[in-house]
Amino acid sequence: MQASFHFYDYQSLAVASMTLQLTLSFSLCHVSGVSLNMAHKLVQVTLCLWVFTSLLLPSPTAGLYRVSLKKQRLNLNRFKAARIAMSGWGMLHNYGSSDGEVIPLKNYMDAQYYGVIAIGSPPQNFTVLFDTGSSNLWVPSSKCYFSIACYFHSKYKSSRSNTYTKIGKPCEINYGSGSISGFFSQDNVEVGGVVVRDQVFVEATREGSFPTFVLAKFDGILGLGFQEISVGNATPVWYNMLNQDVVREDVFSFWLNRDPSANEGGELVFGGVDPKHYKGKHTYVSVTRKGYWQFDMGDFLIGNNSTGVCEGGCAAIVDSGTSLLAGPTAVVTEINHAIGAEGVVSAECKEVVSQYGDLIWQLLVSGVQPDKVCTQIGLCVLNGTRYMSSGIKTVVEKENMEELSAGDQLLCTTCQMTVFWIQSQLKQKGTKDTVLNYVNELCQSLPSPMGESVIDCARISLMPDITFIIGDKPFKLTPDQYIVKMGEGLTTVCVSGFMALDVSPPRGPLWILGDVFMGVYHTVFDYGNLEIGFAEAA
């Protein structure tokens, strides 16, 4: 990986100091060596060279700026609220418009990691969520009078800052779980000990009443995504850090501490990586679409078995703004079945299997393409024309989908999931009866978007590993890593860390890799080379 370096003015002092130390060290070595015999001189020269080299070479952590992250533990009520909010993802058809006025549906109810920044002169402190899935900085404004959330958080007071510049342009940021609105302002922002001058940010004067912002431990959000999804095309904080040459490399990295008993929640490092935060080497993949930190992921395995959904590749987003893992409903259902998660029994799903299971099997065995099966049996019909619609693949435009009744959409989607499951089992050469029984069991494991999927904590050791193929290398999550535990002792509740998320092609199928993944794998965001790197976290 090629790294670009930025040299800044204040380094001249360090260089002058280093030059003075080198001169003194070399002089002392030279003088003290005069009276020594040859053997001693060789030892002295070796020592002098070591001192010279150690002073010349910078520390691997020099020039890094750190933000200490705090962590809050999830509880069951917050987790339920998170799932309700996340159900809005399924409604998404456009992952952020090109004009930057809408960012994707986001959910912060389950966010765990946050840190402190300061805005203004003298500095006003705010706790913010560092979010790689959005690009704006916003904090509550002192002019926020009618939102309950503002009364529970610190508010920015422009009148108390000597470096404030008024902009006043109104804006609104929409999330799946609510929205915030306010106006743009400009001031200095301190992040990890570095002052970013003249940063444009949003003073929020209204925050949605949804408990996302009311109960959140953080005051605002600092986006670390690309400017392409920045509302109002505001320059992100990270961009200004680069433009003002305050970091050594065009890189930032996350280390999240997954130890629930640890005081330290983790660390966000600007300007490079800390070798103490990871083991081995990073595997790098290219960013495929600027906006989010998005890349192409390979296959997805439950135990040692491929699910088949990502054999041709899936888009994936690394998102520090959520603690969970989200993926296609059909795959999450298989995961829930494999780990024994209790879902909502779907009568529609069982009806499709009961009435059409044999026919679907025969059509697939006879060679009919999977994306044609449900149109041939008549479960996907729109105004007399055939179409395909599912949580895995959807090629119908939004306006056409609105013409369908909810029941028709559900049957069509269920049919397509059934086709996917049967096709997956056919590849494993299962018998018809065995496959249909398995699919019928999957119906009982369909995830409920409005509630938690509870796991028997005593069965965690019996659950399969889950593996993501990234850059042709396996990245495994053990049950202890993907099961979310809440509470302690007898009150401990275990729930699945996987959420259902169905996104239409060409953007989908899509995976969201949140803190559950980032806690296991140290993550590097390389803006200079447009790459993302993963290595085992220390």
Side-chain angles (χ1 to χ4, degrees):
M1 181 187 70
Q2 297 295 321
S4 56
F5 293 86
H6 300 282
F7 296 95
Y8 11 94
D9 294 339
Y10 65 80
Q11 275 195 330
S12 59
L13 294 175
V15 171
S17 175
M18 182 181 295
T19 303
L20 178 60
Q21 293 178 50
L22 289 173
T23 303
L24 291 174
S25 299
F26 188 79
S27 299
L28 288 172
C29 289
H30 180 73
V31 171
S32 62
V34 172
S35 60
L36 298 176
N37 60 35
M38 185 60 69
H40 288 171
K41 283 185 177 181
L42 288 175
V43 174
Q44 188 72 15
V45 168
T46 302
L47 179 60
C48 290
L49 288 174
W50 176 80
V51 172
F52 184 87
T53 304
S54 63
L55 288 172
L56 182 63
L57 295 177
S59 164
T61 59
L64 301 183
Y65 299 95
R66 306 163 186 271
V67 178
S68 178
L69 299 178
K70 300 177 183 179
K71 178 182 178 182
Q72 72 170 359
R73 298 193 65 178
L74 289 175
N75 61 57
L76 193 57
N77 290 331
R78 292 178 63 83
F79 194 81
K80 288 180 179 179
R83 284 183 172 271
I84 294 172
M86 182 61 87
S87 65
W89 278 96
M91 306 292 290
L92 186 60
H93 290 271
N94 181 13
Y95 258 58
S97 59
S98 58
D99 61 6
E101 292 306 316
V102 179
I103 69 171
L105 300 179
K106 289 283 296 175
N107 162 49
Y108 296 109
M109 176 59 93
D110 59 317
Q112 296 185 77
Y113 297 92
Y114 47 91
V116 177
I117 67 169
I119 303 178
S121 304
Q124 302 173 38
N125 289 341
F126 298 91
T127 298
V128 296
L129 172 69
F130 293 93
D131 177 27
T132 59
S134 65
S135 300
N136 289 88
L137 167 62
W138 67 264
V139 295
S141 172
S142 60
K143 299 178 177 63
C144 181
Y145 305 117
F146 303 108
S147 291
I148 296 176
C150 289
Y151 288 94
F152 291 91
H153 295 97
S154 300
K155 295 184 283 291
Y156 171 75
K157 302 176 179 63
S158 59
S159 61
R160 296 186 180 179
S161 175
N162 300 324
T163 48
Y164 162 75
T165 299
K166 181 179 179 180
I167 296 179
K169 179 183 177 182
C171 68
E172 181 175 3
I173 303 177
N174 296 298
Y175 303 104
S177 53
S179 64
I180 67 103
S181 60
F183 55 89
F184 285 107
S185 291
Q186 180 177 295
D187 208 334
N188 292 348
V189 175
E190 182 180 341
V191 183
V194 174
V195 175
V196 180
R197 301 182 305 275
D198 303 325
Q199 175 64 47
V200 175
F201 66 100
V202 177
E203 287 192 51
T205 56
R206 182 183 63 81
E207 298 182 30
S209 59
F210 189 87
T212 294
F213 302 126
V214 175
L215 300 180
K217 294 290 186 180
F218 51 87
D219 302 313
I221 294 171
L222 192 154
L224 293 169
F226 292 89
Q227 190 167 1
E228 279 77 358
I229 59 170
S230 175
V231 172
N233 199 36
T235 303
V237 173
W238 169 242
Y239 280 49
N240 278 331
M241 293 177 78
L242 300 179
N243 294 338
Q244 296 174 23
D245 286 338
V246 297
V247 290
R248 186 180 68 185
E249 297 183 51
D250 299 356
V251 171
F252 63 90
S253 54
F254 274 89
W255 171 68
L256 304 182
N257 191 348
R258 300 299 290 180
D259 181 357
S261 62
N263 293 326
E264 184 180 17
E267 205 165 55
L268 167 59
V269 177
F270 291 102
V273 298
D274 187 337
K276 296 179 181 179
H277 286 166
Y278 63 92
K279 304 174 184 177
K281 296 182 178 180
H282 288 84
T283 297
Y284 284 89
V285 290
S286 298
V287 173
T288 55
R289 186 166 184 171
K290 291 174 69 176
Y292 312 93
W293 288 92
Q294 180 173 329
F295 64 97
D296 285 337
M297 188 179 77
D299 206 356
F300 178 86
L301 290 77
I302 301 176
N304 295 321
N305 300 318
S306 168
T307 61
V309 72
C310 289
E311 284 183 333
C314 280
I317 291 171
V318 190
D319 185 3
S320 62
T322 178
S323 68
L324 305 175
L325 292 159
T329 299
V331 182
V332 173
T333 300
E334 289 196 64
I335 294 171
N336 278 355
H337 179 266
I339 65 180
E342 298 177 2
V344 174
V345 177
S346 171
E348 291 82 1
C349 181
K350 288 197 169 187
E351 181 181 355
V352 168
V353 176
S354 174
Q355 294 189 19
Y356 301 98
D358 284 336
L359 181 55
I360 292 173
W361 173 277
Q362 293 171 14
L363 290 173
L364 289 173
V365 170
S366 66
V368 175
Q369 292 297 311
D371 60 353
K372 305 296 182 184
V373 170
C374 292
T375 63
Q376 289 197 19
I377 63 179
L379 290 184
C380 295
V381 181
L382 176 62
N383 293 336
T385 60
R386 306 290 182 177
Y387 76 95
M388 171 185 155
S389 172
S390 77
I392 307 167
K393 294 182 179 178
T394 305
V395 294
V396 182
E397 297 297 327
K398 180 180 178 181
E399 55 269 20
N400 291 335
M401 289 294 289
E402 292 173 349
E403 298 179 28
L404 286 171
S405 70
D408 289 338
Q409 290 185 44
L410 182 57
L411 281 175
C412 181
T413 298
T414 303
C415 176
Q416 289 290 357
M417 281 194 294
T418 303
V419 170
F420 170 78
W421 290 331
I422 293 177
Q423 177 70 7
S424 177
Q425 291 300 305
L426 271 174
K427 293 179 181 179
Q428 301 181 33
K429 305 185 184 303
T431 64
K432 183 176 74 171
D433 289 342
T434 301
V435 170
L436 292 181
N437 285 335
Y438 172 74
V439 171
N440 204 46
E441 291 175 4
L442 288 181
C443 288
Q444 295 184 215
S445 300
L446 278 170
S448 171
M450 301 300 286
E452 71 284 356
S453 296
V454 179
I455 311 295
D456 182 357
C457 296
R459 296 188 66 253
I460 289 181
S461 62
L462 304 176
M463 297 176 188
D465 294 334
I466 303 297
T467 304
F468 298 87
I469 304 299
I470 300 173
D472 296 325
K473 294 184 179 180
F475 287 80
K476 180 175 68 175
L477 295 180
T478 65
D480 280 321
Q481 293 167 340
Y482 67 73
I483 296 299
V484 180
K485 293 183 180 180
M486 289 169 282
E488 297 180 355
L490 297 176
T491 62
T492 299
V493 176
C494 296
V495 297
S496 171
F498 286 89
M499 302 290 296
L501 167 65
D502 294 319
V503 179
S504 309
R507 295 304 297 266
L510 180 70
W511 282 92
I512 304 293
L513 306 184
D515 296 341
V516 168
F517 186 87
M518 293 176 66
V520 180
Y521 295 103
H522 177 261
T523 309
V524 176
F525 298 84
D526 187 337
Y527 179 81
N529 294 305
L530 292 180
E531 291 180 328
I532 309 168
F534 303 101
E536 182 183 354

